[in-house]
Amino acid sequence: CGAGTFLVRAYQQKKLMSQQLGHEAILNTLWGNDIAKFPAHLATINLAINDLAAEKNYPRIIQKDFFDLLSSDEKGFQMPEDVRKVMLKTMSKEGLEVIHPRWFDAVVGNPPYTRQEEISEISGEETYKEKLIEKALSHPSAGGRKSITGEDYAALSKRSGIYAYFFIHGAKFLKNGGRFGFIVSNAWLDVEYGAGLQEFFLKNYKIVAVIESKVERWFEDADINTVIVILEKAAGMEKKKERDDNLVRFVYLSKRLRDLIPPAQTIWAKQIERKQAIDNLIKTILGHDDFYQNEELRIYPKKQSELWDEGFDIGEQKYVGAKWGKYLRAPEIFFKILEKGKDKLVPLKQVADVRFGIKTGANEFFYLTEQEIKRRK
């Protein structure tokens, strides 16, 4: 949860929805987690200061490794109350022991963009990545019962960044019908190792929207392009038709978010204005069942079952992935050509063996240093 920005926004949204809701009642419904002490402390302060006069002012911030929050110990995944006990802190030294919920209505976050090569390096523990993967991928069936087969919950490549495992692990806390909102790297849309994440989404969620910006980076200090991913959990075979019929909206923004949604402010009228702007953007995105474009954004709706068919290899009888980035960025004419030439075009993999060349790993040979550039002029 970092310093608690998402939680503070959620607090303000709940207050906006009902002025009768008291400070403690709102805090009861918001939970945050961070592995590091400093951001967890900041999140606690940022929530607590919404009402410093409150007698019981205990924001629900847990300082723990997210992947340790739900472990497959002998208690099982039902997580009885004694497993869910956590100690909360406030700005004073007093603590409060509470039990965190088993299921949540929404999971929201901005997980780290750490590449898989850096996971062990940053954690300081050589086997941390292996342990993290094991915790994230071991899970009961989607309904919350312990898996008899013990199969992996998702078929993720070990090349996946850490954010992919946050998606997998976070799903275990979410009730069916609950919403998932993450801001993550856009790499999974098009790279080979993104196939496992695509498959997991298609099997367990109605993908509501994937949103990318053409004109700005949402985190200037992160050397990576990001997308907003909004999902609605619909796990289980009984939800398959809902998932298949769902329209996924791929949204490409041509204007900055601040031009579409005013910045957050404490002034009451400005808060209402901001909420209305967000509601209007949501209605615009969900209001189009066909390709739509204006000067602010473009929306490419795609049926979820079609995304599955596109990435499913009939010969191998498994989901191998597809490049979803085209639905965000390819010009409309690209899709018209595909549609008009559909009986004349076949994927290259049907007529040729497509594979990567040899990876040398010798980056120092291919990438020149500043000194080498000067020497070679």
Side-chain angles (χ1 to χ4, degrees), residues 182-194:
F182 265 11
I183 305 178
V184 294
S185 159
N186 65 358
W188 64 274
L189 288 164
D190 293 311
V191 295
E192 186 183 9
Y193 61 77

Side-chain angles (χ1 to χ4, degrees), residues 304-373:
Q304 197 158 311
S305 58
E306 292 174 358
L307 287 176
W308 175 266
D309 292 342
E310 184 185 346
F312 190 79
D313 188 303
I314 296 171
E316 292 189 43
Q317 279 298 297
K318 68 175 187 178
Y319 187 86
V320 296
K323 293 184 184 296
W324 290 4
K326 60 180 176 283
Y327 298 116
L328 289 165
R329 304 173 212 115
E332 192 180 2
I333 187 68
F334 172 80
F335 300 103
K336 286 182 178 174
I337 291 170
L338 281 186
E339 180 59 33
K340 292 205 171 184
K342 61 184 174 186
D343 12 347
K344 301 180 180 69
L345 300 168
V346 295
L348 184 58
K349 65 183 178 185
Q350 286 187 17
V351 293
D353 181 15
V354 183
R355 60 180 184 269
F356 282 107
I358 295 167
K359 292 184 175 68
T360 66
N363 288 352
E364 65 279 1
F365 175 81
F366 295 101
Y367 292 98
L368 299 178
T369 63
E370 288 299 322
Q371 292 82 357
E372 191 68 9
I373 290 167

Side-chain angles (χ1 to χ4, degrees), residues 207-267:
I207 304 169
V208 179
V210 179
I211 306 168
E212 187 175 81
S213 176
K214 180 182 181 180
V215 292
E216 66 179 337
R217 284 175 185 258
W218 287 319
F219 296 97
E220 290 178 8
D221 56 342
D223 187 20
I224 202 160
N225 289 321
T226 49
V227 287
I228 298 172
V229 183
I230 310 290
L231 311 166
E232 181 181 312
K233 191 169 180 182
M237 284 308 295
E238 70 279 6
K239 298 281 185 181
K240 186 179 185 305
K241 188 174 187 313
E242 276 185 46
R243 295 195 302 269
D244 287 348
D245 291 344
N246 177 58
L247 272 183
V248 182
R249 270 83 176 187
F250 291 94
V251 183
Y252 201 40
L253 302 180
S254 307
K255 283 196 172 181
R256 298 174 306 171
L257 263 182
R258 72 189 72 173
D259 296 327
L260 303 172
I261 301 169
Q265 295 187 43
T266 53
I267 303 165

Side-chain angles (χ1 to χ4, degrees), residues 64-275:
K64 200 169 181 179
D65 186 328
F66 179 58
F67 296 95
D68 287 339
L69 269 184
L70 182 61
S71 57
S72 56
D73 54 19
E74 69 282 356
K75 301 278 187 181
F77 288 96
Q78 294 307 317
M79 287 189 76
E81 290 191 355
D82 62 320
V83 178
R84 292 186 272 123
K85 281 182 182 174
V86 290
M87 183 62 73
L88 302 178
K89 295 175 182 176
T90 185
M91 290 186 286
S92 69
K93 290 182 179 178
E94 294 175 12
L96 176 70
E97 190 178 69
V98 295
I99 294 161
H100 75 71
R102 172 63 187 90
W103 301 103
F104 289 80
D105 299 298
V107 176
V108 181
N110 168 221
Y113 300 145
T114 314
R115 291 184 300 116
Q116 59 94 11
E117 296 90 348
E118 301 168 332
I119 294 172
S120 300
E121 186 185 318
I122 288 172
S123 68
E125 188 183 339
E126 203 170 316
T127 58
Y128 179 76
K129 187 180 87 172
E130 285 68 30
K131 289 177 182 174
L132 180 155
I133 292 171
E134 190 181 326
K135 289 172 192 170
L137 298 188
S138 62
H139 191 270
S141 67
R145 295 175 299 279
K146 197 169 180 65
S147 172
I148 298 166
T149 61
E151 289 177 357
D152 280 348
Y153 188 39
L156 278 196
S157 162
K158 286 194 175 181
R159 293 168 58 206
S160 302
I162 196 172
Y163 67 86
Y165 299 102
F166 272 82
F167 268 116
I168 307 303
H169 195 62
K172 302 170 192 175
F173 298 88
L174 196 61
K175 61 176 66 168
N176 251 0
R179 287 292 178 95
F180 209 122
F182 265 11
I183 305 178
V184 294
S185 159
N186 65 358
W188 64 274
L189 288 164
D190 293 311
V191 295
E192 186 183 9
Y193 61 77
L197 204 52
Q198 291 180 8
E199 181 182 19
F200 183 75
F201 292 165
L202 292 167
K203 281 183 172 180
N204 293 282
Y205 290 99
K206 291 191 286 186
I207 304 169
V208 179
V210 179
I211 306 168
E212 187 175 81
S213 176
K214 180 182 181 180
V215 292
E216 66 179 337
R217 284 175 185 258
W218 287 319
F219 296 97
E220 290 178 8
D221 56 342
D223 187 20
I224 202 160
N225 289 321
T226 49
V227 287
I228 298 172
V229 183
I230 310 290
L231 311 166
E232 181 181 312
K233 191 169 180 182
M237 284 308 295
E238 70 279 6
K239 298 281 185 181
K240 186 179 185 305
K241 188 174 187 313
E242 276 185 46
R243 295 195 302 269
D244 287 348
D245 291 344
N246 177 58
L247 272 183
V248 182
R249 270 83 176 187
F250 291 94
V251 183
Y252 201 40
L253 302 180
S254 307
K255 283 196 172 181
R256 298 174 306 171
L257 263 182
R258 72 189 72 173
D259 296 327
L260 303 172
I261 301 169
Q265 295 187 43
T266 53
I267 303 165
W268 174 250
K270 293 291 183 184
Q271 288 184 25
I272 294 173
E273 183 187 332
R274 185 170 192 269
K275 183 181 182 303

